[in-house]
Amino acid sequence: MSSAGKPVFERLRLGSVHPAGWLRDQLIHDLEHGFASRLDALTEHARNDLFAQRIGASDDQLAWWDSETRGNWLWGYTLMAYTVGSAAHQARVSELLRALMATQDADGYLGIYAPDARYQHGTIENGELWAQGRALLALLTWYEFTGEAAVLQAVERAARLTMTHYGPGRPYFRTPENPLKRSAGMTHGLCYVDAMAWLYALTGSTEYRDFGVWLYDDFCALPIPFVNDDMSTRTLGDPMHPLTGHAVHTAEHLRTLAWALHVTGREDLRAAFASAVRKLARFRLPSGVLIGDESIHGMPTPDFGYEYCTITEDLLSQAFVMEVFGQRGEGDLIESLLFNAGQGARLADGSAIAYLTTDTRLEARADRPDSYSHFHGSSGRYKFSPTHEDIACCCNPNATRVLSHYIAHQWMRTTQRPGLAALLYGAGTLRTSIGPVAVEIEQITDYPFDEAVTFIVRPAAALRFGLHLRIPGWARGFTLQLNGAALDSGIEHDGFAVIEREWQAGDRVEVRFEAGVELRPYPTGEAAILRGPLQYVLPIESERRPMDGGGHAALHDMELTPKHPADARRIVPVDDSAAQYGLTFVRLPAEAASWHTPAVQLVSGEATLVPIGCTMLRRAAFPLQRR
């Protein structure tokens, strides 16, 4: 199998980007005061170490669930600790991951099953590749930050053992006895390709590439329909076949398809990927988030639920698509997923998230039902919780990953000519090299609360390379200055502003994007309001009702209700005939940008709209009114 060629961009090694501003502040606060670093103390599902204890059966879904919780938490905790450079949290992460490596058997096995139960799962449920993949991703993250060779060696030993048990003639995916019964563990196992893709990128060994592509083809060989078949080439080949799977599976499987297309260049995969993008668009809200409560169905209305796991997995998938195909649209989607859906689904202090969130959230109650409620005999996904252990402790560990994923993909290297690309904006410093020359680029900004970004370029020696700046799709124009002089010609290329020159230490680039108010329709006939990368909503003052759960004085489950019930019934029409729809943009004085207190507003008469990430309860959809 031959490679399809180099990606448009190339991801930089973890640890290349050092966040500042609210990005860094939020990570530190979440580590020190939120649930992120203490999830194993808050819930037995993160504390239960199946990699050490091992289990003897593979048919029960609940048997492997805790390996997902612990694996994703270790991955996220590692990302957070090393991204902010916290020595104390790095020490704890290292202890946890060394304990994980110590569970590896002499033959290389690193997983959750006892010897008699390995590699012989049934046709309905198993967690073999899913659990292994979560552990390997945590270890590969640790390896990239530390460069510790023994960690990569442990991962390769584990991967090569698994590759001896599956392959042509030895399928991993089995046709279920009942195709419509739950088989989340088996279909989650497709994400073992994440580890194969990473190993291939690190080592260049084609055995990982070939096994990853085979695993995706093995998945696609299953006859449809089966649960979570959305990203199967058979499903995607039928334009009338709707998306119906668990939204998290659909979002995470997208990057497997994109990766297989990238490394093979196969036309059948190219057609499947184009179909996937079209089908996904039908189920995206105006902010870009994919609906699913937890399965995909219905229409993207302002009161339809979306899962925090989906936000995380979709963000990571879009980052990979952006890397290999080089289109700016994924950058717009990634920023919206973080700034709008992601921030709007969490409490600003990092103490809790909502498992399921809606754009318009008039209350956050535990008794609101969802399409999966009958599996547990109760609801509970719409409340705020540091664990959600009464439903499934999956969203909270995944929430620890999302901001670090964003930071890691802010910058990439260009592959056609020497250069660096700023793909996602936010304060911080890039430290990397181009050839033998070390390069540092500081990004100074309050983005997304301000659309101006300054870059200070500091190569260790004079160096010629291209600086590529993504022009957001929402930008109505932009101004660009280099060392105080305006640049206004020959700089736009396929959605990027490109400055290629011999850079000197201290060179200063300033870009300001022009933002305007934009309406995006909901299927209800109402509209979402966006300005720049932020969605604006009408905040509703809330009251918190603490509930049992959390096991920590400051971290517990809670419900939210309107402090003044009339606020939840308030309707603010938007004048679609007025300039800027009758909305005035206001920037408030603030010492530092954050999500705790809105720094920007849109004002219309007596109504004040704020970014969705600055609210707990809110109205996000507005009727149109022509005066």
Side-chain angles (χ1 to χ4, degrees), residues 315-387:
L315 186 149
L316 187 56
S317 290
Q318 298 303 326
F320 180 77
V321 172
M322 179 174 63
E323 174 187 350
V324 298
F325 299 133
Q327 298 175 352
R328 70 175 181 183
E330 284 75 26
D332 296 340
L333 182 52
I334 291 167
E335 290 184 350
S336 193
L337 286 170
L338 177 64
F339 303 149
N340 298 318
Q343 294 296 138
R346 54 170 274 143
L347 297 184
D349 63 5
S351 63
I353 63 166
Y355 187 119
L356 289 180
T357 302
T358 55
D359 282 1
T360 288
R361 184 165 57 200
L362 305 181
E363 58 184 4
R365 293 170 57 98
D367 59 0
R368 174 175 171 173
D370 55 77
S371 64
Y372 277 22
S373 296
H374 64 280
F375 287 119
H376 298 275
S378 65
S379 49
R381 288 174 172 81
Y382 286 96
K383 69 176 183 295
F384 281 88
S385 173
T387 65

Side-chain angles (χ1 to χ4, degrees), residues 70-137:
R70 189 169 178 86
N72 275 328
W73 173 63
L74 289 174
W75 185 11
Y77 188 14
T78 304
L79 280 166
M80 293 177 72
Y82 280 91
T83 297
V84 300
S86 167
H89 288 290
Q90 287 175 9
R92 182 161 184 252
V93 162
S94 296
E95 181 180 353
L96 289 165
L97 293 177
R98 291 195 193 285
L100 175 61
M101 285 178 59
T103 68
Q104 188 167 36
D105 290 350
D107 64 356
Y109 183 78
L110 202 162
I112 63 173
Y113 289 111
D116 292 342
R118 296 171 190 170
Y119 306 113
Q120 48 184 296
H121 59 270
T123 58
I124 297 297
E125 268 300 355
N126 77 94
E128 184 73 76
L129 293 191
W130 180 231
Q132 287 187 29
R134 300 301 91 183
L136 298 189
L137 291 170

Side-chain angles (χ1 to χ4, degrees), residues 285-301:
L285 287 159
S287 66
V289 68
L290 183 65
I291 62 171
D293 70 338
E294 298 178 4
S295 60
I296 299 174
H297 61 97
M299 301 181 72
T301 58

Side-chain angles (χ1 to χ4, degrees), residues 175-253:
T175 302
E177 296 170 4
N178 181 343
L180 300 183
K181 287 191 70 173
R182 289 172 62 81
S183 54
M186 181 169 66
T187 50
H188 266 316
L190 181 58
C191 285
Y192 193 75
V193 173
D194 287 340
M196 296 297 97
W198 203 340
L199 284 171
Y200 176 48
L202 287 171
T203 69
S205 177
T206 57
E207 63 180 326
Y208 302 124
R209 178 197 66 194
D210 295 349
F211 185 78
V213 173
W214 170 84
L215 189 61
Y216 178 65
D217 285 339
D218 186 45
F219 172 80
C220 294
L222 286 175
I224 58 173
F226 62 91
V227 174
N228 302 318
D229 65 3
D230 285 346
M231 291 296 111
S232 164
T233 52
R234 295 172 186 251
T235 299
L236 294 171
D238 180 357
M240 302 305 293
H241 195 303
L243 301 182
T244 59
H246 180 206
V248 179
H249 279 79
T250 304
E252 68 192 14
H253 289 172

Side-chain angles (χ1 to χ4, degrees), residues 400-592:
T400 66
R401 294 165 41 204
V402 65
L403 188 54
S404 297
H405 283 325
Y406 180 90
I407 292 166
H409 291 91
Q410 283 185 265
W411 288 91
M412 292 190 193
R413 191 186 311 278
T414 58
T415 58
Q416 305 303 317
R417 300 180 65 173
L420 295 166
L423 296 169
L424 304 171
Y425 295 111
T429 300
L430 167 69
R431 297 189 181 101
T432 186
S433 61
I434 297 178
V437 180
V439 177
E440 178 179 288
I441 303 178
E442 183 181 3
Q443 187 175 168
I444 304 170
T445 183
D446 281 335
Y447 196 90
F449 306 105
D450 193 341
E451 298 81 43
V453 187
T454 296
F455 300 89
I456 310 296
V457 184
R458 302 185 183 99
L463 180 66
R464 185 174 186 84
F465 66 90
L467 178 64
H468 300 241
L469 308 178
R470 182 184 122 258
I471 304 170
W474 50 260
R476 300 183 176 185
F478 67 95
T479 59
L480 190 64
Q481 290 188 335
L482 171 63
N483 295 329
L487 297 176
D488 55 9
S489 63
I491 57 175
E492 286 192 58
H493 302 277
D494 298 325
F496 291 84
V498 181
I499 308 172
E500 186 164 354
R501 68 191 301 270
E502 184 173 85
W503 296 92
Q504 307 286 338
D507 280 343
R508 185 183 186 93
V509 174
E510 298 172 79
V511 61
R512 176 174 286 278
F513 302 111
E514 180 186 346
V517 178
E518 177 185 356
L519 300 186
R520 294 184 190 171
Y522 286 105
T524 57
E526 300 166 296
I529 298 175
L530 293 96
R531 183 187 181 278
L534 295 175
Q535 182 174 356
Y536 285 77
V537 300
L538 181 68
I540 298 172
E541 191 175 0
S542 64
E543 289 185 336
R544 302 187 182 192
R545 187 180 75 82
M547 305 169 66
D548 292 337
H552 187 281
L555 302 171
H556 48 73
D557 292 4
M558 70 179 71
E559 293 183 313
L560 303 178
T561 56
K563 185 174 183 179
H564 307 290
D567 289 349
R569 299 189 294 271
R570 186 183 179 196
I571 304 295
V572 177
V574 174
D575 185 356
D576 70 344
S577 65
Q580 297 294 298
Y581 306 100
L583 296 164
T584 301
F585 177 69
V586 177
R587 191 181 305 282
L588 302 175
E591 292 184 6

